Amino acid sequence: MEIWEIALSVVLALCVLGLLVHLRLLHRDLAEIAQELEEKLATDTNTQISISTGDRTVRLFAAQINAQLASLRRERLRLQCGDAELKAAITNISHDLRTPLTAICGYLELLEWETHAEKSKRYLAIIRERTDVMRTLTEELLQYSVITSAEDGFHSEPISLHAILEQSLAAFYGIMTQHGITPDIRLPQETVIRTLDAGALRRIYDNILSNAVKYSDGDLSVALLPDGSVTFSNAAKKLDRVQAEQLFERFFTVESANGSTGLGLSIAKQLTEKMGGQISANYSDGRLHICVCFPEEGETSLST
């Protein structure tokens, strides 16, 4: 083999070796950037991505990522400030409305004790109904702002899902009877225990039952399973699949739900997720199914 061929082979081998080394270093630098980016996104910090490489292109890439991170942080801060202002405004408005509403309700009670003509009684009934709706909306606005603002407001302890569910069903027995609803209740023999806030869980069940009474066509099935999931099912021909998917959105109401504020299921969703559970709505064959589940600690999948 000629000397020039040997030299060419050596040069080519050195070039390949240099490329392999460069690719290895590039892989290391990109892995370092990826790790740094993951850490920055996972923590609320203003620090930037810092890398040890001297490669100009890689450092330029890292600088562009830092610029995007700074923009993302500014946008996050703006949204957080706006959300905090909105919640504060809702809380203040709710408090401001409670005082005049309390006075109105008091005078209405006095008027209802007086003797009135038939037309006056009808007008009073309308005022009473609208006032009750406003009072409910005010209370739920206040509850919603408190729930969404609280970071750690729960008192968790081992509780029986059976007991809380039975309490909610008992509280709604009179209302269901007025609507001609006889619930079909199925509970497992073994007691299902979860570490949750009893008051928050009761509110979740209450809000779901209130929704069921509004939309039900005259029936209600409630089933608690050993995995911690509770399914509420009722015929609701006035609903459709699209409306069922929107039930957990704030202020969403269906026209047929008289007196609805659109916050009940939204509050139930907030409480469920803050306590590590999941809630979902499904509509099929003219029936609405709402499932709320609290798995045992360590489980990752939930039945729906």
Side-chain angles (χ1 to χ4, degrees):
M1 180 180 290
E2 298 292 336
I3 295 178
W4 68 269
E5 291 178 334
I6 296 174
L8 181 60
S9 298
V10 171
V11 170
L12 288 174
L14 290 174
C15 288
V16 170
L17 180 61
L19 285 173
L20 290 174
V21 172
H22 182 71
L23 287 174
R24 178 64 179 172
L25 292 174
L26 182 62
H27 182 271
R28 184 204 66 183
D29 294 339
L30 292 177
E32 187 179 356
I33 290 176
Q35 182 179 356
E36 286 267 337
L37 179 60
E38 184 178 0
E39 291 174 357
K40 303 307 179 189
L41 292 175
T43 57
D44 187 11
T45 174
N46 290 323
T47 59
Q48 294 186 331
I49 292 175
S50 59
I51 55 175
S52 57
T53 182
D55 188 286
R56 185 173 179 274
T57 303
V58 175
R59 296 189 72 84
L60 178 61
F61 176 58
Q64 291 175 340
I65 292 179
N66 282 328
Q68 293 299 318
L69 274 175
S71 176
L72 179 62
R73 287 169 185 142
R74 287 193 298 270
E75 186 66 17
R76 179 188 296 174
L77 181 61
R78 185 183 68 83
L79 290 175
Q80 287 175 343
C81 290
D83 191 45
E85 290 175 0
L86 176 60
K87 291 173 182 175
I90 290 175
T91 303
N92 292 334
I93 291 171
S94 299
H95 280 298
D96 291 342
L97 286 174
R98 291 175 89 179
T99 300
L101 276 174
T102 301
I104 291 171
C105 291
Y107 281 109
L108 274 174
E109 289 179 2
L110 291 174
L111 281 172
E112 286 168 350
W113 284 97
E114 300 293 333
T115 303
H116 301 282
E118 193 63 33
K119 184 178 289 187
S120 298
K121 290 181 179 179
R122 187 167 68 250
Y123 293 160
L124 277 173
I126 295 172
I127 295 172
R128 164 63 69 182
E129 189 269 336
R130 291 292 89 192
T131 304
D132 288 343
V133 170
M134 286 184 63
R135 182 165 56 183
T136 301
L137 176 57
T138 302
E139 292 298 327
E140 293 202 344
L141 277 171
L142 182 59
Q143 287 294 325
Y144 183 83
S145 63
V146 170
I147 289 167
T148 54
S149 299
E151 293 296 327
D152 187 22
F154 295 115
H155 175 64
S156 297
E157 59 183 347
I159 58 174
S160 165
L161 299 190
H162 291 70
I164 303 299
L165 183 59
E166 288 171 352
Q167 290 172 17
S168 291
L169 289 167
F172 275 82
Y173 178 78
I175 299 174
M176 289 189 287
T177 301
Q178 291 176 5
H179 286 76
I181 299 173
T182 302
D184 174 25
I185 303 169
R186 287 169 288 168
L187 303 175
Q189 292 190 357
E190 61 272 25
T191 302
V192 182
I193 303 295
R194 293 292 184 269
T195 302
L196 302 168
D197 183 287
L201 182 61
R202 171 71 183 273
R203 186 167 183 85
I204 292 168
Y205 290 159
D206 285 356
N207 287 7
I208 296 174
L209 287 170
S210 176
N211 178 83
V213 171
K214 292 172 185 174
Y215 295 117
S216 177
D217 289 336
D219 73 311
L220 174 64
S221 297
V222 181
L224 169 62
L225 300 180
D227 66 357
S229 63
V230 183
T231 300
F232 301 81
S233 174
N234 59 272
K237 296 179 181 178
K238 294 179 181 178
L239 283 177
D240 57 41
R241 189 180 299 275
V242 174
Q243 291 174 328
E245 293 174 353
Q246 296 175 307
L247 287 175
F248 298 112
E249 295 180 7
R250 284 177 295 180
F251 305 113
F252 174 78
T253 60
V254 177
E255 188 174 343
S256 60
N258 295 326
S260 177
T261 64
L263 284 172
L265 289 184
S266 182
I267 290 173
K269 179 179 175 66
Q270 291 278 342
L271 290 173
T272 300
E273 293 179 349
K274 281 180 177 289
M275 292 194 295
Q278 287 186 359
I279 187 170
S280 62
N282 175 264
Y283 186 79
S284 60
D285 299 326
R287 295 188 67 82
L288 174 65
H289 307 270
I290 293 181
C291 180
V292 57
C293 182
F294 293 97
E296 290 186 275
E297 188 175 353
E299 291 184 4
T300 56
S301 60
L302 301 176
S303 302
T304 57

